[in-house]
Amino acid sequence: MMRIALVGQPNCGKSTLFNAIAGYKTEVGNFPGTTIEFTRCKVGCEGHTFELVDVPGLYSLETSGANDLHALDQLAKIAPDVIVNVADASILSRSLELTLELLEIEFPLVLCLNMMDEAAHKGISIDADRLAAGLGIPVVPTIASRGQGIPELFKTALQTACDKRLGRPLGMSRDVESAIGELAAGIAPETAARVGLPPRFIALQWLQRDEVFGKRLGDETVKNGALIQRLAAELETAHGRPSDVVIGSERHALAMNLFESTSTVLVRTKKTQGVDWDRYAMHPVWGFLLLATVLFFFFYAVFGFGRLLEPPLLDLFARLQGLLDNKLPPASLIAFLMKGLIQGFSGGIGIVLPYLFPFLLALALLEDVGYLPRAAFLMDTLMHRIGLHGKAVIPFVLGYGCTVPAIMSVRILETRRDRFVAALLVNLIPCAARSTVIFAVVGFFVGGGWALAFYALDLLVIALAGRLFLKFLPGELTGLILEIPSWKKPALATVLHKVWFRLREFIVVAWPILIVGSVLLSLLEYYRLDDAVNGLLSPLTSGLLGLPAAVGITLVFGILRKELTIVMLIQALGTANLALVMTTEQMVVFTAFILFYIPCLATLTMVHSAFRGKGVLASIAFTTGVATLVALLFRLGFTLFG
């Protein structure tokens, strides 16, 4: 099957383009030999069926010494029949630098000029035909958020793949080209075939003194070491700059020349609306007030929607349970099994989805409108105060959706110390599943103010823990370089696709586990084994925390999936009206413990892949200790102040 790879810089609209045509039939996999995920789907066009692969966003094909996993390896290993380079037309000169690098690896290439509406809004007019002639590859303008130009793009991509029309690199200055040619001539064909890259590109990486790339080629780099050093030194002497800067400057100049020769920029006398918004969104005072306001309405909207739907949905399942109780023999095995099955379904439909769906919808809207990077910019200074690199805000923001991708994203941090500390602290972030517990227990039965207070408490605990790590695990703090995308009007279809991709994990993965767990708990009740589990945990639950002993088993199931906690709690206590069997103190203490204790099994798996067994043990010990301490402080507070 033909394979098309979407490659582009972050915030170029690549994922919007992918989601616009992928529908719901997508798969998530890993590049061979790596743990970096990509998304793929099968698409039909012009009588052809092809596989579309969405490669994670990248700024450059240059390798990084901080990470073993490189975009270059990804492209070589998936071996696409054609690459569609998605470029942000509103910042064309910068986007073209990646295009020029992609030409160097000599794959069939099509340039997708996306966000043409943004370019027009900035007063930029691009002659696509002239740009295609300058690059020697097809160029197709699109507006992915509106679906414009997408059919033409993939028709062109398929034709390019069928014709096997390779992209050809653009020439640099004479002395640079001479050095590249001399070095490339000595590269053995089997070496180029082994890494799946042309000799010219290998020579460029060597001339840039790319140590990581050099180690990848091993003996071949050593054999050409003297020649590499001589040619790189000649370039540095002639230009008065390091060789990697020389080549980067050549590429930058080529991109600027292409932009200037193919584009017309109209002088704008009126500021864009986005600039005016940024004066407030990233202001050192108003920005934080806006952030607090956004978060307040964010969580209250989720709480309000969930509270509106939860009671009637649970009442519907309660009536169904009553009908079955009248039909089935009391205390029989089939009665217990049906009870567990119904409670598993009701937990997903009546408790999890009413909170999870609006949470993911609101999160997707904030992402697509462009607010989350601005919030990350504001939080950079605070992140430094707790001893973390500013880039750590990215996994922290991701953690509110799901802790698994948040743990994966700690790889962007440069040092192992930063990655380890960030991973431990990210485990304390209330993901969407933990948020469901907060809303369904404290938010619903105690009050929305308490639910919001838990999020403030979470940030306070993370800050205090970070300060402790800074004291006992000191490290050098560096600054943050973060791209701030333009403000965008979110497309409803794109937002709903994004929500579905995230919601599907619960429906396809978590919900079946939830139902099976509910049925298993019913079997434990039928055979009276649940009391044994609760008895083992009673020193912690009923003894230390003052909770009903029956909640012990919910903590065990909660490690599998956090969504299971609330369903198992209702089933273990025998009622969805928790206020009848738990005091306000117990509900608050229980939620505090759930908020911080052992992360789910999927998260622990990611921690193991990044830090091995010691990382998993550290995560379990750290989160359990924090959860117990916070829960005890709440219990003490209720005892002293009521």
Side-chain angles (χ1 to χ4, degrees):
M1 182 180 296
M2 192 175 294
R3 180 177 290 167
I4 299 177
L6 293 181
V7 179
Q9 295 177 343
N11 302 309
C12 67
K14 176 174 59 64
S15 295
T16 301
L17 173 63
F18 179 85
N19 293 337
I21 65 171
Y24 304 128
K25 298 180 179 178
T26 63
E27 298 178 17
V28 176
N30 295 90
F31 291 103
T34 78
T35 58
I36 294 181
E37 288 190 343
F38 62 86
T39 310
R40 63 187 178 189
C41 69
K42 293 180 181 178
V43 179
C45 179
E46 294 286 292
H48 296 273
T49 300
F50 61 90
E51 182 182 53
L52 183 64
V53 180
D54 183 13
V55 178
L58 52 100
Y59 287 105
S60 171
L61 295 184
E62 294 179 10
T63 56
S64 167
N67 201 325
D68 312 314
L69 310 170
H70 313 299
L72 191 57
D73 289 334
Q74 299 170 15
L75 285 173
K77 287 175 179 176
I78 64 175
D81 295 281
V82 61
I83 295 174
V84 173
N85 173 208
V86 184
D88 183 349
S90 67
I91 48 172
L92 182 60
S93 59
R94 194 189 74 183
S95 301
L96 284 175
E97 295 193 35
L98 177 60
T99 307
L100 294 174
E101 286 189 271
L102 291 171
L103 286 172
E104 299 283 357
I105 62 176
E106 298 182 11
F107 276 89
L109 183 65
V110 174
L111 177 61
C112 168
L113 279 183
N114 195 30
M115 298 187 186
M116 291 295 288
D117 53 339
E118 288 285 328
H121 185 68
K122 291 183 178 180
I124 301 173
S125 175
I126 303 171
D127 187 336
D129 292 335
R130 192 168 183 178
L131 182 59
L135 289 169
I137 58 173
V139 176
V140 183
T142 65
I143 305 177
S145 60
R146 301 179 189 172
Q148 295 180 12
I150 294 178
E152 293 79 7
L153 173 66
F154 286 99
K155 289 177 185 177
T156 303
L158 287 171
Q159 188 61 50
T160 302
C162 291
D163 295 344
K164 300 188 183 302
R165 192 189 318 165
L166 300 180
R168 299 296 180 190
L170 272 64
M172 299 184 183
S173 297
R174 183 177 299 175
D175 58 340
V176 177
E177 285 295 328
S178 175
I180 295 171
E182 185 176 350
L183 192 52
I187 297 174
E190 55 270 20
T191 300
R194 177 163 57 88
V195 295
L197 296 167
R200 176 187 170 87
F201 185 85
I202 296 173
L204 270 170
Q205 299 302 100
W206 276 341
L207 285 174
Q208 292 178 96
R209 301 184 188 273
D210 187 331
E211 294 181 1
V212 176
F213 189 85
K215 289 178 181 177
R216 186 182 301 123
L217 290 179
D219 294 340
E220 194 72 18
T221 302
V222 175
K223 186 175 70 174
N224 290 276
L227 181 60
I228 294 170
Q229 294 300 325
R230 178 176 65 79
L231 294 173
E234 288 176 359
L235 288 179
E236 291 170 351
T237 301
H239 293 264
R241 289 173 291 178
S243 58
D244 60 326
V245 177
V246 172
I247 293 172
S249 299
E250 290 282 331
R251 197 174 286 128
H252 178 72
L254 285 171
M256 284 298 299
N257 289 337
L258 283 168
F259 171 71
E260 291 173 356
S261 63
T262 60
S263 306
T264 303
V265 182
L266 303 176
V267 178
R268 297 183 61 85
T269 58
K270 184 179 178 182
K271 290 183 179 180
T272 64
Q273 186 178 6
V275 172
D276 290 333
W277 272 107
D278 283 341
R279 290 177 57 190
Y280 302 100
M282 295 190 290
H283 190 275
V285 176
W286 299 113
F288 283 101
L289 291 176
L290 178 61
L291 177 61
T293 304
V294 168
L295 292 177
F296 178 83
F297 284 105
F298 178 96
F299 292 115
Y300 258 83
V302 173
F303 165 73
F305 186 87
R307 190 166 190 174
L308 182 67
L309 291 183
E310 183 179 349
L313 289 173
L314 289 179
D315 183 61
L316 182 66
F317 281 99
R319 278 189 248 168
L320 177 60
Q321 181 68 57
L323 290 174
L324 286 174
D325 288 342
N326 293 331
K327 300 288 185 181
L328 297 173
S332 63
L333 178 60
I334 186 65
F336 272 88
L337 289 175
M338 291 306 299
K339 173 188 172 184
L341 193 62
I342 290 175
Q343 289 182 339
F345 276 100
S346 67
I349 296 174
I351 300 173
V352 177
L353 289 178
Y355 295 102
L356 185 60
F357 174 76
F359 181 91
L360 295 178
L361 178 63
L363 188 65
L365 286 170
L366 289 178
E367 285 178 344
D368 282 17
V369 81
Y371 183 68
L372 286 188
R374 289 161 172 86
F377 171 83
L378 284 173
M379 297 297 291
D380 178 45
T381 301
L382 295 180
M383 296 300 294
H384 275 76
R385 290 185 182 276
I386 65 173
L388 278 175
H389 188 290
K391 287 183 182 178
V393 295
I394 296 173
F396 273 58
V397 171
L398 288 174
Y400 284 99
C402 179
T403 313
V404 173
I407 294 294
M408 292 176 61
S409 67
V410 302
R411 295 189 179 105
I412 66 175
L413 303 179
E414 277 73 11
T415 67
R416 181 175 177 83
R417 179 263 178 198
D418 283 355
R419 293 194 292 272
F420 181 69
V421 171
L424 288 179
L425 295 181
V426 160
N427 283 323
L428 303 180
I429 292 287
C431 63
R434 280 172 167 164
S435 294
T436 301
V437 179
I438 295 173
F439 290 129
V441 179
V442 168
F444 188 82
F445 291 103
V446 184
W450 273 93
L452 188 60
F454 265 99
Y455 287 92
L457 168 69
D458 182 79
L459 293 176
L460 176 61
V461 171
I462 289 173
L464 292 174
R467 293 296 296 179
L468 287 175
F469 283 131
L470 180 60
K471 182 177 181 180
F472 294 106
L473 295 172
E476 182 181 355
L477 301 181
T478 54
L480 170 67
I481 298 176
L482 180 67
E483 179 180 358
I484 304 295
S486 59
W487 291 96
K488 296 180 179 65
K489 181 181 179 181
L492 180 61
T494 303
V495 169
L496 292 178
H497 272 112
K498 186 176 291 187
V499 172
W500 165 250
F501 291 147
R502 294 171 176 172
L503 196 62
R504 185 179 59 177
E505 183 187 2
F506 167 74
I507 294 174
V508 175
V509 179
W511 202 358
I513 296 175
L514 189 152
I515 294 170
V516 171
S518 182
V519 172
L520 181 59
L521 181 56
S522 291
L523 288 174
L524 291 174
E525 289 179 5
Y526 179 76
Y527 291 108
R528 293 183 173 82
L529 296 175
D530 55 327
D531 291 338
V533 177
N534 290 329
L536 288 174
L537 295 175
S538 61
L540 171 66
T541 54
S542 58
L544 196 60
L545 303 180
L547 300 172
V551 306
I553 200 165
T554 69
L555 303 181
V556 176
F557 281 96
I559 298 174
L560 298 178
R561 299 286 303 194
K562 292 304 175 187
E563 299 93 335
L564 286 171
T565 306
I566 182 64
V567 180
M568 297 297 104
L569 179 67
I570 290 172
Q571 188 170 352
L573 297 178
T575 177
N577 189 353
L578 300 180
L580 296 177
V581 291
M582 295 179 76
T583 65
T584 298
E585 174 187 337
Q586 288 176 325
M587 285 188 282
V588 170
V589 170
F590 176 80
T591 305
F593 189 81
I594 293 298
L595 176 60
F596 295 110
Y597 98 114
I598 303 173
C600 69
L601 186 60
T603 299
L604 291 176
T605 302
M606 290 310 305
V607 172
H608 183 270
S609 69
F611 304 103
R612 315 312 300 171
K614 290 183 179 179
V616 174
L617 293 175
S619 292
I620 293 173
F622 173 65
T623 54
T624 304
V626 170
T628 305
L629 178 61
V630 173
L632 284 175
L633 288 175
F634 267 112
R635 190 181 182 192
L636 179 62
F638 273 97
T639 302
L640 294 177
F641 305 107

